[in-house]
């Protein structure tokens, strides 16, 4: 695994906690920090691209539900992340749910909150309403669920998987090269009898 990808994954700018929504679509969580905490678009890009690369075609064809945890950030920052993630994930994106703090809802007008959602628009809700889209057992603890997720353990496991995959690919390549060499030798030279 490349060092910049590893750093991006360690930043936890995007991750797959293992949960699914009520329609069995895979959950990707993107916690957006407040403006004072370090956050880079590059870390988000590298994390999302890596996570998409490790998912099977079946998982991607089923669609992803991205939950953007915008409880600690400004709405301007949340909108920036929404636009960026929507463009980056593209067709694999089924839904975007933005979690906003309760104080955000106190400032909203009723007509803004009651409007119907149009296809492709993000759903903006408080954390307490996530249960409409997810079972509590499918949400990580930071979103009020009961799903235990340890990012450090996931990262250690992922590094081991990447190392195994690299060794596996090298072994397959070596075997294919050996097969080519053996095929070439057997075609060019007749077999000599073994002397006893």
């Amino acid at each position: 695994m490349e060092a910049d990808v590893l750093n991006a994954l360690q930043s936890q700018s995007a991750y797959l906690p293992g949960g699914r929504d009520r329609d069995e679509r895979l959950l990707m969580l993107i916690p957006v920090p407040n403006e004072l905490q370090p956050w880079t678009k590059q870390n988000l890009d590298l994390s999302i691209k890596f996570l998409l690369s490790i998912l099977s075609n079946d998982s991607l064809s089923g669609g992803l539900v991205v939950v953007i945890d915008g409880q600690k950030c400004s709405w301007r920052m949340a909108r920036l992340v929404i636009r960026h993630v929507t463009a980056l994930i593209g067709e694999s994106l089924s839904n975007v749910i933005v979690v906003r703090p309760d104080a955000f809802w106190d400032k909203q007008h009723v007509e803004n909150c009651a409007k119907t959602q149009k296809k492709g628009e993000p759903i903006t809700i408080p954390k307490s309403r996530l249960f409409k889209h997810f079972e509590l057992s499918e949400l990580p603890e930071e979103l009020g669920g009961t799903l235990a997720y340890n990012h450090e353990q996931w990262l250690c496991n992922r590094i081991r998987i990447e190392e195994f995959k690299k060794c596996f690919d090298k072994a397959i390549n070596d075997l294919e090269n050996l097969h080519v060499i053996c095929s070439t030798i057997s075609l060019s030279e007749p077999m000599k009898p073994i002397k006893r």
Side-chain angles (χ1 to χ4, degrees), residues 61 66 73 86 92 97 102 104 121 136 139 143 148 158 163 174 178-179 185 196:
S61 66
V66 174
C73 70
T86 303
S92 298
I97 299 173
D102 291 334
F104 173 83
E121 276 188 8
L136 290 181
L139 284 173
L143 291 177
R158 193 69 232 174
E163 288 171 357
D174 290 347
L178 181 62
H179 177 73
I185 290 172
R196 296 186 185 184

Short mmCIF file of all heavy atoms in Angstrom, two decimals, residues 61 66 73 86 92 97 102 104 121 136 139 143 148 158 163 174 178-179 185 196:
data_model
loop_
_atom_site.label_atom_id
_atom_site.label_comp_id
_atom_site.label_asym_id
_atom_site.label_seq_id
_atom_site.Cartn_x
_atom_site.Cartn_y
_atom_site.Cartn_z
N SER A 61 -22.59 -2.38 -7.76
CA SER A 61 -23.82 -2.34 -8.55
C SER A 61 -25.05 -2.23 -7.65
O SER A 61 -26.08 -1.70 -8.06
CB SER A 61 -23.94 -3.57 -9.45
OG SER A 61 -24.08 -4.75 -8.67
N VAL A 66 -23.97 7.06 1.19
CA VAL A 66 -22.94 7.84 1.86
C VAL A 66 -23.60 8.70 2.93
O VAL A 66 -24.52 9.45 2.64
CB VAL A 66 -22.16 8.73 0.86
CG1 VAL A 66 -21.19 9.63 1.59
CG2 VAL A 66 -21.44 7.86 -0.15
N CYS A 73 -19.35 20.68 11.53
CA CYS A 73 -18.85 21.64 10.54
C CYS A 73 -19.93 22.64 10.15
O CYS A 73 -21.10 22.48 10.47
CB CYS A 73 -18.36 20.90 9.30
SG CYS A 73 -19.66 20.14 8.33
N THR A 86 -20.28 13.48 -4.42
CA THR A 86 -21.23 13.11 -5.48
C THR A 86 -20.51 12.98 -6.82
O THR A 86 -20.74 12.03 -7.57
CB THR A 86 -22.35 14.17 -5.57
OG1 THR A 86 -22.99 14.27 -4.29
CG2 THR A 86 -23.38 13.79 -6.60
N SER A 92 -22.17 4.83 -8.81
CA SER A 92 -22.28 3.88 -7.71
C SER A 92 -23.02 4.47 -6.51
O SER A 92 -23.39 3.75 -5.59
CB SER A 92 -20.90 3.40 -7.25
OG SER A 92 -20.25 2.74 -8.31
N ILE A 97 -26.86 11.02 2.62
CA ILE A 97 -27.58 11.47 3.81
C ILE A 97 -26.62 12.35 4.60
O ILE A 97 -25.51 11.93 4.93
CB ILE A 97 -28.04 10.28 4.66
CG1 ILE A 97 -29.00 9.40 3.84
CG2 ILE A 97 -28.71 10.77 5.93
CD1 ILE A 97 -29.40 8.11 4.52
N ASP A 102 -28.64 19.33 16.01
CA ASP A 102 -29.97 19.82 16.38
C ASP A 102 -30.06 21.34 16.28
O ASP A 102 -31.11 21.88 15.90
CB ASP A 102 -30.33 19.37 17.80
CG ASP A 102 -30.57 17.85 17.84
OD1 ASP A 102 -30.93 17.29 16.79
OD2 ASP A 102 -30.39 17.25 18.91
N PHE A 104 -28.82 23.23 14.10
CA PHE A 104 -29.08 23.54 12.69
C PHE A 104 -30.58 23.54 12.43
O PHE A 104 -31.12 24.41 11.76
CB PHE A 104 -28.37 22.52 11.80
CG PHE A 104 -28.69 22.63 10.34
CD1 PHE A 104 -28.02 23.54 9.54
CD2 PHE A 104 -29.66 21.82 9.76
CE1 PHE A 104 -28.30 23.64 8.19
CE2 PHE A 104 -29.95 21.92 8.41
CZ PHE A 104 -29.27 22.83 7.63
N GLU A 121 -30.94 14.42 -4.90
CA GLU A 121 -30.66 15.42 -3.86
C GLU A 121 -30.29 14.72 -2.56
O GLU A 121 -30.85 13.69 -2.23
CB GLU A 121 -31.90 16.29 -3.59
CG GLU A 121 -32.06 17.43 -4.54
CD GLU A 121 -33.18 18.36 -4.10
OE1 GLU A 121 -33.74 18.19 -3.00
OE2 GLU A 121 -33.52 19.25 -4.89
N LEU A 136 -30.42 0.20 13.93
CA LEU A 136 -29.37 0.67 14.84
C LEU A 136 -28.16 -0.25 14.82
O LEU A 136 -27.03 0.20 15.00
CB LEU A 136 -29.91 0.81 16.25
CG LEU A 136 -30.91 1.96 16.46
CD1 LEU A 136 -31.37 2.01 17.91
CD2 LEU A 136 -30.30 3.29 16.05
N LEU A 139 -25.55 0.90 12.21
CA LEU A 139 -24.90 2.21 12.34
C LEU A 139 -23.77 2.14 13.35
O LEU A 139 -23.93 1.54 14.41
CB LEU A 139 -25.91 3.26 12.81
CG LEU A 139 -26.90 3.77 11.78
CD1 LEU A 139 -27.93 4.67 12.45
CD2 LEU A 139 -26.19 4.53 10.67
N LEU A 143 -22.73 7.44 15.36
CA LEU A 143 -23.99 7.90 14.79
C LEU A 143 -25.19 7.40 15.60
O LEU A 143 -26.32 7.41 15.11
CB LEU A 143 -24.12 7.47 13.33
CG LEU A 143 -23.17 8.16 12.36
CD1 LEU A 143 -23.33 7.60 10.96
CD2 LEU A 143 -23.36 9.67 12.35
N ALA A 148 -20.15 -2.09 16.33
CA ALA A 148 -18.79 -1.86 16.83
C ALA A 148 -17.84 -1.82 15.63
O ALA A 148 -17.79 -2.75 14.83
CB ALA A 148 -18.38 -2.96 17.79
N ARG A 158 -6.39 -4.61 6.65
CA ARG A 158 -6.30 -4.22 5.24
C ARG A 158 -4.86 -4.26 4.76
O ARG A 158 -4.57 -4.69 3.65
CB ARG A 158 -6.88 -2.81 5.07
CG ARG A 158 -7.11 -2.43 3.65
CD ARG A 158 -8.24 -3.24 3.07
NE ARG A 158 -7.82 -3.86 1.84
CZ ARG A 158 -8.54 -4.72 1.15
NH1 ARG A 158 -9.72 -5.08 1.57
NH2 ARG A 158 -8.10 -5.24 0.03
N GLU A 163 -0.65 -6.95 1.56
CA GLU A 163 0.62 -7.68 1.49
C GLU A 163 0.42 -9.08 0.93
O GLU A 163 1.20 -9.55 0.09
CB GLU A 163 1.26 -7.74 2.87
CG GLU A 163 1.82 -6.41 3.35
CD GLU A 163 2.26 -6.43 4.80
OE1 GLU A 163 2.09 -7.47 5.49
OE2 GLU A 163 2.78 -5.40 5.26
N ASP A 174 5.21 -15.60 -11.23
CA ASP A 174 6.36 -16.52 -11.29
C ASP A 174 5.95 -17.87 -11.87
O ASP A 174 6.68 -18.46 -12.68
CB ASP A 174 6.98 -16.72 -9.91
CG ASP A 174 7.70 -15.48 -9.40
OD1 ASP A 174 7.93 -14.54 -10.20
OD2 ASP A 174 8.01 -15.42 -8.19
N LEU A 178 7.31 -19.61 -15.26
CA LEU A 178 7.84 -20.97 -15.24
C LEU A 178 7.13 -21.85 -16.26
O LEU A 178 7.77 -22.65 -16.96
CB LEU A 178 7.71 -21.56 -13.83
CG LEU A 178 8.24 -22.98 -13.64
CD1 LEU A 178 9.75 -23.03 -13.92
CD2 LEU A 178 7.95 -23.48 -12.24
N HIS A 179 5.83 -21.69 -16.38
CA HIS A 179 5.05 -22.46 -17.35
C HIS A 179 5.51 -22.15 -18.78
O HIS A 179 5.67 -23.06 -19.60
CB HIS A 179 3.56 -22.16 -17.19
CG HIS A 179 2.70 -22.85 -18.19
ND1 HIS A 179 2.45 -24.19 -18.13
CD2 HIS A 179 2.05 -22.38 -19.28
CE1 HIS A 179 1.68 -24.53 -19.15
NE2 HIS A 179 1.42 -23.45 -19.86
N ILE A 185 10.95 -25.15 -23.45
CA ILE A 185 11.96 -26.20 -23.39
C ILE A 185 11.41 -27.50 -23.95
O ILE A 185 12.06 -28.17 -24.75
CB ILE A 185 12.46 -26.41 -21.94
CG1 ILE A 185 13.28 -25.20 -21.51
CG2 ILE A 185 13.27 -27.69 -21.82
CD1 ILE A 185 13.66 -25.22 -20.04
N ARG A 196 19.85 -45.06 -15.92
CA ARG A 196 19.81 -45.67 -14.59
C ARG A 196 21.11 -46.30 -14.27
O ARG A 196 21.87 -46.77 -14.93
CB ARG A 196 18.72 -46.71 -14.51
CG ARG A 196 17.37 -46.09 -14.67
CD ARG A 196 16.33 -47.12 -14.44
NE ARG A 196 15.05 -46.53 -14.72
CZ ARG A 196 13.93 -47.13 -14.56
NH1 ARG A 196 13.90 -48.34 -14.09
NH2 ARG A 196 12.82 -46.56 -14.84
#
